[in-house]
Amino acid sequence: MSNYKLLYVTCGSKKEAQNIGKALVKNSLVACANIVPNINSIFKWKNKISSSKEFILLGKTQTKNMKNIFKTIKDKHSYDCPCILFFNIEQGNDDFLKWIKKNS
């Protein structure tokens, strides 16, 4: 298993994504956060098909930070059930991976 992770979170607004991203970077939980705007999401919630505009928050981090990342996002997120996913980073630019390790 990789020590490096890519964080994926959907947010209901740009402001929410920025607030969460800034908190994660400020607390050295992610080395970097990116916000992808204007995503069209279609989903089932409470037995109804719904759609909404969302923002994707991506973060580069390490396994050791996952527990605190979950807590930070759940405390700051507006959704009852926020999408918080981690993906293994198996390979990458060695210099960039070292930078993640140093900054998260």
Side-chain angles (χ1 to χ4, degrees), residues 76-94:
K76 296 186 172 298
H77 211 289
S78 63
Y79 293 175
D80 293 337
C81 182
C83 171
I84 307 169
L85 303 172
F86 290 93
F87 299 93
N88 287 330
I89 298 173
E90 296 297 335
Q91 291 184 316
N93 175 352
D94 285 338

Side-chain angles (χ1 to χ4, degrees), residues 26-37:
K26 180 180 178 183
N27 293 302
S28 298
L29 295 174
V30 301
C32 173
N34 305 112
I35 298 170
V36 181

Side-chain angles (χ1 to χ4, degrees), residues 24-25 27-32 60 62 65 97-104:
L24 294 173
V25 172
N27 293 302
S28 298
L29 295 174
V30 301
C32 173
K60 294 82 165 189
Q62 300 177 74
N65 295 324
L97 295 177
K98 288 176 190 172
W99 179 79
I100 292 173
K101 187 172 186 176
K102 180 180 175 185
N103 290 283
S104 68

Side-chain angles (χ1 to χ4, degrees), residues 15-52:
K15 184 175 182 172
E16 180 173 61
Q18 289 174 325
N19 289 340
I20 293 170
K22 285 179 184 177
L24 294 173
V25 172
K26 180 180 178 183
N27 293 302
S28 298
L29 295 174
V30 301
C32 173
N34 305 112
I35 298 170
V36 181
N38 301 323
I39 303 303
N40 293 312
S41 296
I42 302 168
F43 53 94
K44 188 182 279 189
W45 182 250
K46 297 184 179 181
N47 290 323
K48 281 179 48 180
I49 302 295
S50 299
S51 63
S52 67

